[in-house]
Amino acid sequence: FGTTGAESLDAKVDGRNKIIMQQFRLTSQIYMALFLGQLLFAGIVFWMITGKTADASENYRSFSFDRLPLMIALTGLTGALLMNKLRTAQGALLSDIPLILRHYHTTVLLRSAILEGCNLIVLTLALINGNLFYLGYFAVGMVGFLYFRPTPDSLSREYGLTQGQEQELKRIVTKA
């Protein structure tokens, strides 16, 4: 009439694995939404700049303003790399897969926010200045954004998971 201890334990493990899988999917979905949003905004900026007449695109440009988007893009990349290094060092001390995944989720959100913020500032400067060259700096930021794409392999590598933890994570995440 009741469940045995083994059946109850199996149900708990299955529930835990389902939560882990949902957490990883949510992390990936948020990342993709941020990625696509940046591309959409870049497309709008490109359309707005190329749609201007020659007279309308003539703006005052100072030397320092022309270098500002590059400095912002490099600051975003450096900030994301440093924050990622600090967070993954903290996360490597965790041993439970759900805690590691929760920490990884926060790490992905933080580094994505840093990069996206800098990319959007670069796009805004491109729009204000009417300069398509700035989209190259945005492209550099997007390469950095793609570098940090969340995957089970990147989680395993960055957090130094043991072989057992890595196999458990892959088994759970690929179960879908």
Side-chain angles (χ1 to χ4, degrees):
F1 289 85
T3 60
T4 66
E7 289 172 343
S8 177
L9 181 60
D10 286 344
K12 286 180 181 178
V13 169
D14 285 343
R16 175 181 170 259
N17 291 351
K18 186 177 180 181
I19 291 169
I20 291 171
M21 188 172 52
Q22 289 172 344
Q23 180 74 37
F24 196 83
R25 280 187 180 159
L26 177 64
T27 301
S28 295
Q29 290 169 349
I30 291 170
Y31 172 86
M32 283 306 291
L34 293 171
F35 178 78
L36 294 174
Q38 289 176 83
L39 289 181
L40 177 65
F41 189 51
I44 291 169
V45 168
F46 179 81
W47 176 74
M48 291 183 75
I49 291 173
T50 58
K52 290 182 177 182
T53 64
D55 293 337
S57 66
E58 291 178 18
N59 293 324
Y60 172 78
R61 294 186 184 137
S62 67
F63 179 78
S64 62
F65 188 75
D66 282 345
R67 302 296 184 259
L68 185 61
L70 174 62
M71 293 186 311
I72 291 170
L74 292 177
T75 299
L77 289 171
T78 303
L81 283 168
L82 290 174
M83 190 280 311
N84 189 63
K85 191 171 192 162
L86 290 171
R87 293 278 306 167
T88 55
Q90 294 169 349
L93 301 174
L94 302 172
S95 59
D96 188 43
I97 290 292
L99 291 176
I100 292 170
L101 193 56
R102 197 170 305 127
H103 192 274
Y104 181 68
H105 177 79
T106 304
T107 301
V108 169
L109 292 179
L110 288 172
R111 69 187 182 202
S112 296
I114 290 169
L115 287 168
E116 182 182 35
C118 291
N119 283 346
L120 294 178
I121 291 170
V122 168
L123 287 173
T124 302
L125 291 172
L127 182 61
I128 290 169
N129 200 36
N131 190 339
L132 285 175
F133 187 74
Y134 293 173
L135 295 181
Y137 300 133
F138 168 74
V140 170
M142 288 304 288
V143 168
F145 199 85
L146 286 171
Y147 174 78
F148 286 119
R149 187 173 66 91
T151 64
D153 289 335
S154 68
L155 169 59
S156 176
R157 183 181 62 253
E158 292 172 7
Y159 280 68
L161 298 184
T162 65
Q163 190 173 9
Q165 289 172 322
E166 186 176 339
Q167 289 173 347
E168 179 185 2
L169 177 68
K170 285 185 179 181
R171 181 180 50 77
I172 293 168
V173 171
T174 58
K175 207 175 199 180

